[in-house]
Amino acid sequence: GAGVSQSPSNKVTEKGKDVELRCDPISGHTALYWYRQSLGQGLEFLIYFQGNSAPDKSGLPSDRFSAERTGGSVSTLTIQRTQQEDSAVYLCASSLSRDTDTQYFGPGTRLTVL
Amino acid sequence: GEDVEQSLFLSVREGDSSVINCTYTDSSSTYLYWYKQEPGAGLQLLTYIFSNMDMKQDQRLTVLLNKKDKHLSLRIADTQTGDSAIYFCAEKGGSQGNLIFGKGTKLSVKP
């Protein structure tokens, strides 16, 4: 079956613009995760959704970052007023459940802020 | 705090075995994972091991877990040039079921 998909695959934007990144998880997976991969920080966890709910948003790097998930499926990560330090690869993963199941990753969105 | 450490580079000759090592700190982690990342691609799950196991073998891959020393290793037998990639060790130790990753080991396979 289809894996996790993400769009766009690449996004170049100017500093100060807003961007939206999309993640389409594997059908039936209730748990969804966003991670960020950057040269300096490695792979860092951003936010977790169980269904449509994100119980803890403290992993988001700043209040310019927000995320939502609708219908227990697609999730969007929005970055407002982008800064150069937001340049990274944003990875989404999904799993059947939070505690016992393997996370499967999408191909990522490479964000470049000029 | 939680931390996963791996060496950054490993170079081997084609046909040799590769061993990538990892140490982790959270003794309550239930699952430990190895992911592979090729250039420009996402993370591909290679294998995982449950914390009550010592060893898991899957074709050319062997995972060894020493829970006392919090040490995990991945052995790739008969390494091929197609195995060249970055390998990430991860523990399922985050408070939200999130993975905590090492910095990745870049494996280079010379013909």
Side-chain angles (χ1 to χ4, degrees), chain A residues 2 15 19 26 32 46 48 62 67 81 83 87 89:
Chain A
K15 180 180 167 181
V19 295
I26 294 171
L32 186 147
L46 298 180
Y48 154 70
S62 77
R81 304 181 304 281
Q83 303 294 309
S87 295
V89 176

Side-chain angles (χ1 to χ4, degrees), chain B residues 10-51:
Chain B
L10 177 65
S11 181
V12 300
R13 292 225 170 263
E14 194 172 20
D16 288 349
S17 290
S18 307
V19 179
I20 303 172
N21 294 300
C22 167
T23 57
Y24 62 98
T25 55
D26 187 352
S27 58
S28 66
S29 291
T30 51
Y31 289 90
L32 295 140
Y33 299 85
W34 286 102
Y35 284 87
K36 176 183 179 183
Q37 187 176 40
E38 296 182 77
L43 296 173
Q44 173 197 349
L45 175 69
L46 277 183
T47 188
Y48 64 92
I49 189 165
F50 190 52
S51 59

Side-chain angles (χ1 to χ4, degrees), chain B residues 1-107:
Chain B
E2 302 148 343
D3 200 13
V4 176
E5 294 194 357
Q6 326 176 214
S7 52
L8 295 181
F9 300 99
L10 177 65
S11 181
V12 300
R13 292 225 170 263
E14 194 172 20
D16 288 349
S17 290
S18 307
V19 179
I20 303 172
N21 294 300
C22 167
T23 57
Y24 62 98
T25 55
D26 187 352
S27 58
S28 66
S29 291
T30 51
Y31 289 90
L32 295 140
Y33 299 85
W34 286 102
Y35 284 87
K36 176 183 179 183
Q37 187 176 40
E38 296 182 77
L43 296 173
Q44 173 197 349
L45 175 69
L46 277 183
T47 188
Y48 64 92
I49 189 165
F50 190 52
S51 59
N52 67 354
M53 298 170 66
D54 298 325
M55 184 180 93
K56 181 178 180 182
Q57 188 149 3
D58 184 359
Q59 298 183 331
R60 291 190 298 122
L61 306 178
T62 304
V63 179
L64 295 178
L65 174 60
N66 181 327
K67 202 173 176 187
K68 173 175 164 289
D69 294 337
K70 300 192 187 91
H71 183 267
L72 182 74
S73 68
L74 173 70
R75 179 176 179 269
I76 306 172
D78 187 26
T79 314
Q80 302 297 307
T81 53
D83 295 323
S84 293
I86 300 176
Y87 290 80
F88 290 92
C89 168
E91 61 174 340
K92 198 176 180 86
S95 62
Q96 299 182 68
N98 52 291
L99 298 174
I100 298 163
F101 288 90
K103 296 261 191 255
T105 299
K106 184 172 182 178
L107 174 65

Side-chain angles (χ1 to χ4, degrees), chain A:
Chain A
V4 178
S5 60
Q6 293 186 245
S7 61
S9 53
N10 276 288
K11 176 73 178 177
V12 180
T13 190
E14 290 179 350
K15 180 180 167 181
K17 302 275 192 191
D18 297 352
V19 295
E20 262 191 15
L21 312 180
R22 176 188 165 110
C23 171
D24 207 336
I26 294 171
S27 177
H29 281 195
T30 61
L32 186 147
Y33 301 82
W34 284 97
Y35 295 85
R36 178 168 74 171
Q37 184 176 25
S38 57
L39 277 175
Q41 300 297 322
L43 273 153
E44 54 178 331
F45 166 68
L46 298 180
I47 193 167
Y48 154 70
F49 284 91
Q50 180 58 42
N52 291 335
S53 172
D56 182 348
K57 299 181 182 179
S58 62
L60 294 174
S62 77
D63 58 9
R64 296 183 295 102
F65 286 70
S66 63
E68 65 173 15
R69 189 179 184 194
T70 53
S73 182
V74 171
S75 175
T76 53
L77 178 69
T78 301
I79 310 172
Q80 295 179 306
R81 304 181 304 281
T82 50
Q83 303 294 309
Q84 287 183 333
E85 64 261 27
D86 300 333
S87 295
V89 176
Y90 290 82
L91 293 163
C92 174
S94 71
S95 65
L96 271 174
S97 71
R98 191 193 91 155
D99 291 323
T100 57
D101 292 291
T102 301
Q103 293 178 27
Y104 295 93
F105 282 78
T109 293
R110 180 174 296 277
L111 175 66
T112 304
V113 182
L114 301 176

